[in-house]
Amino acid sequence: QVQLAESGGASWQSGGPLGLSCPLSGYTYETYCMGWFRQVPGKEREGVAAINSDGMPVYAASVKGRFSISLENAEKTVYLQMNGLKPEDTAMYYCAAEGPICVVTIWEDHYNFWGQGTQVTVSS
């Protein structure tokens, strides 16, 4: 059974940094894509960043230059390093995975496997 478990969420001051991690377990293929998404109550879930097992990343415009996604293939763990945090980054952050056929995208409908989320709260 494929499972994802986010960790690292916290209440933090503006400016950051803060890092999230999410291991992918129960997945047996070597090719996959993983992404980070976030959601604020009452709003639609928003794609933040994604990466494939070759290490190619994509970012939402709202986080490009501040957030960095990376992947440790040996552990099948995706990381999100968040710098320059702003109050508007406050959200529940989810990781997602898809494979073995996948596209590096922050379109949430592409992903079939999801974690439970970890809360990030940024105060000014």
Side-chain angles (χ1 to χ4, degrees):
Q1 182 179 357
V2 174
Q3 291 186 324
L4 294 159
E6 305 91 339
S7 63
S11 295
W12 220 245
Q13 294 275 343
S14 290
L18 184 65
L20 306 179
S21 63
C22 180
L24 170 65
S25 61
Y27 182 85
T28 59
Y29 296 97
E30 293 303 314
T31 58
Y32 54 100
C33 300
M34 296 186 75
W36 286 99
F37 297 78
R38 64 187 182 186
Q39 189 170 26
V40 175
K43 292 190 176 181
E44 291 187 357
R45 190 153 50 187
E46 171 192 22
V48 175
I51 192 167
N52 65 6
S53 46
D54 290 332
M56 186 176 80
V58 295
Y59 295 95
S62 58
V63 305
K64 198 169 187 178
R66 298 189 298 124
F67 290 11
S68 176
I69 189 170
S70 61
L71 189 62
E72 174 54 61
N73 274 317
E75 301 293 330
K76 288 191 175 66
T77 298
V78 66
Y79 300 92
L80 185 68
Q81 179 63 38
M82 302 182 289
N83 298 318
L85 280 168
K86 305 175 182 179
E88 51 263 43
D89 294 319
T90 294
M92 183 71 77
Y93 282 72
Y94 299 90
C95 71
E98 182 57 45
I101 298 172
C102 63
V103 175
V104 188
T105 178
I106 54 174
W107 181 48
E108 65 172 300
D109 288 351
H110 181 61
Y111 296 88
N112 280 307
F113 305 111
W114 290 85
Q116 295 298 307
T118 186
Q119 178 68 36
V120 173
T121 303
V122 184
S123 57
S124 57

